[in-house]
Amino acid sequence: MKIKSYAKLNLTLEILGRNSSNMHEISGIFQNINLFDEIEILESNFDSVNTFNFDIIQEDNLAFKALKLMKKELSINNFFKVNIHKNIPLSSGLGGGSSNAAAIIFALNRMMNLNLTISDMVSISKMLGSDIPFFFTGGTCYVTGVGENVEKLNRIFIDKINLNTINLDIRNKTKKMYGFIQQKNFSNGDKTDELKKLIMSSSKILPSHLYNVFFDIAKLKFKEVSIQSLKMTELFNNCALSGAGMTLFSISENNINFKKYKAVDMGLEIAI
């Protein structure tokens, strides 16, 4: 089976506070774009996950962890070979690892006729990471809780998207970025709620509607993010951050020398 595993952007990302388990509660609008990894899953004599274009240690690969978890939780005795052609940059805030993990769970469900619902797959995926549940629904979604609550929204109207992935070697990047969060960074979800209303009314989404709690933090903590965000703003008159960083993106149809991406209405797709 072949799967396209799409990247995501955070059009908004707010942190509302901490829950009783001391985890950060979020509110955000997640959006898939037409940048994807290509995944092939074959039955084999032993389990393996091979990545191309990037060097990832198999045991550290979220796709490999998803494979092992699915086999354990569903008592699957078959073995699988997974080939991943990576196009989504690593540790970029574009959700490549989470998308790959969702693709493995999704594909095994189909291949082994497990008849898992989206809710079932979400329950399994939560054991691996809070960003994974979004990809089973994909497209434009309102995401709350710690990432497990996903509501599909209308198809979005937005200009083309220009990406600028900043390659910073930050160990445990997401954990480190969340460690910078203080109570003053908490918000009430109003920015996300307002964007949700615009999407559901089929209004065009403008740069002024975007928000990410990590953007100002990233610019303050990492000089290159600040420099590149100014350059993106000069070129496109707007700039935003995806995830906990470090991909910057601008919304514009201008024909400047950036590869342009568009919003898509899926997180995973079986490739014909």
Side-chain angles (χ1 to χ4, degrees), residues 51-65:
T51 56
F52 303 90
N53 300 345
F54 292 97
D55 185 20
I56 307 174
I57 298 171
Q58 178 175 263
E59 286 68 26
D60 293 339
N61 195 326
L62 205 53
F64 185 73
K65 293 178 181 179

Side-chain angles (χ1 to χ4, degrees), residues 181-244:
I181 295 292
Q182 302 176 35
Q183 188 168 352
K184 66 180 182 181
N185 303 119
F186 296 164
S187 55
N188 60 8
D190 280 355
K191 296 177 180 65
T192 296
D193 291 343
E194 181 60 30
L195 180 55
K196 179 182 177 183
K197 289 177 184 176
L198 291 169
I199 292 169
M200 296 308 288
S201 67
S202 298
S203 300
K204 185 174 182 178
I205 304 310
L206 303 175
S208 58
H209 301 137
L210 309 183
Y211 174 78
N212 187 332
V213 64
F214 290 108
F215 195 15
D216 286 340
I217 295 171
K219 287 187 287 186
L220 180 64
K221 299 293 183 180
F222 303 100
K223 183 177 180 181
E224 188 62 21
V225 176
S226 179
I227 292 171
Q228 291 298 323
S229 67
L230 288 173
K231 289 182 178 179
M232 294 288 281
T233 301
E234 288 174 2
L235 287 172
F236 301 109
N237 295 318
N238 68 90
C239 183
L241 181 79
S242 187

Side-chain angles (χ1 to χ4, degrees), residues 6-260:
Y6 286 85
K8 63 88 181 159
L9 295 175
N10 299 92
L11 301 184
T12 64
L13 181 56
E14 297 182 75
I15 296 179
L16 310 183
R18 291 179 180 269
N19 61 20
S20 58
S21 300
N22 206 33
M23 297 182 68
H24 290 96
E25 295 269 350
I26 69 164
S27 178
I29 304 294
F30 289 21
Q31 175 65 55
N32 285 120
I33 59 172
N34 64 330
L35 168 64
F36 56 86
D37 293 337
E38 301 164 274
I39 301 178
E40 182 181 36
I41 306 174
L42 306 166
E43 290 206 45
S44 182
N45 295 321
F46 59 92
D47 291 327
S48 64
V49 174
N50 310 294
T51 56
F52 303 90
N53 300 345
F54 292 97
D55 185 20
I56 307 174
I57 298 171
Q58 178 175 263
E59 286 68 26
D60 293 339
N61 195 326
L62 205 53
F64 185 73
K65 293 178 181 179
L67 174 61
K68 290 298 187 181
L69 179 63
M70 277 289 284
K71 291 185 61 174
K72 177 183 176 183
E73 293 295 314
L74 281 303
S75 300
I76 298 171
N77 295 319
N78 306 55
F79 295 96
F80 302 90
K81 178 180 181 180
V82 180
N83 296 319
I84 305 177
H85 292 267
K86 293 290 294 178
N87 300 304
I88 304 170
L90 301 183
S91 192
S92 59
L94 297 174
S98 295
S99 181
N100 293 171
I104 299 299
I105 296 170
F106 178 82
L108 290 184
N109 184 38
R110 291 289 188 93
M111 291 173 68
M112 305 304 296
N113 296 313
L114 300 173
N115 297 315
L116 300 177
T117 64
I118 288 179
S119 179
D120 294 332
M121 291 188 286
V122 165
S123 294
I124 293 170
S125 73
K126 286 193 297 183
M127 303 179 198
L128 294 171
S130 59
D131 271 355
I132 301 172
F134 158 72
F135 291 96
F136 297 116
T137 299
T140 309
C141 293
Y142 173 60
V143 180
T144 57
V146 295
E148 80 281 15
N149 301 320
V150 180
E151 177 188 345
K152 184 83 168 185
L153 303 181
N154 289 349
R155 185 182 293 272
I156 199 169
F157 292 93
I158 193 168
D159 285 340
K160 294 294 193 323
I161 297 157
N162 306 268
L163 299 184
N164 180 3
T165 298
I166 303 170
N167 296 316
L168 295 177
D169 185 13
I170 306 170
R171 186 179 296 275
N172 298 318
K173 181 207 69 182
T174 301
K175 182 178 180 180
K176 184 170 185 175
M177 291 299 289
Y178 270 94
F180 292 137
I181 295 292
Q182 302 176 35
Q183 188 168 352
K184 66 180 182 181
N185 303 119
F186 296 164
S187 55
N188 60 8
D190 280 355
K191 296 177 180 65
T192 296
D193 291 343
E194 181 60 30
L195 180 55
K196 179 182 177 183
K197 289 177 184 176
L198 291 169
I199 292 169
M200 296 308 288
S201 67
S202 298
S203 300
K204 185 174 182 178
I205 304 310
L206 303 175
S208 58
H209 301 137
L210 309 183
Y211 174 78
N212 187 332
V213 64
F214 290 108
F215 195 15
D216 286 340
I217 295 171
K219 287 187 287 186
L220 180 64
K221 299 293 183 180
F222 303 100
K223 183 177 180 181
E224 188 62 21
V225 176
S226 179
I227 292 171
Q228 291 298 323
S229 67
L230 288 173
K231 289 182 178 179
M232 294 288 281
T233 301
E234 288 174 2
L235 287 172
F236 301 109
N237 295 318
N238 68 90
C239 183
L241 181 79
S242 187
M246 295 299 165
T247 295
L248 301 172
F249 66 97
S250 298
I251 299 171
S252 174
E253 297 285 355
N254 291 344
N255 291 319
I256 297 175
N257 191 26
F258 271 74
K259 184 174 181 180
K260 296 186 180 299

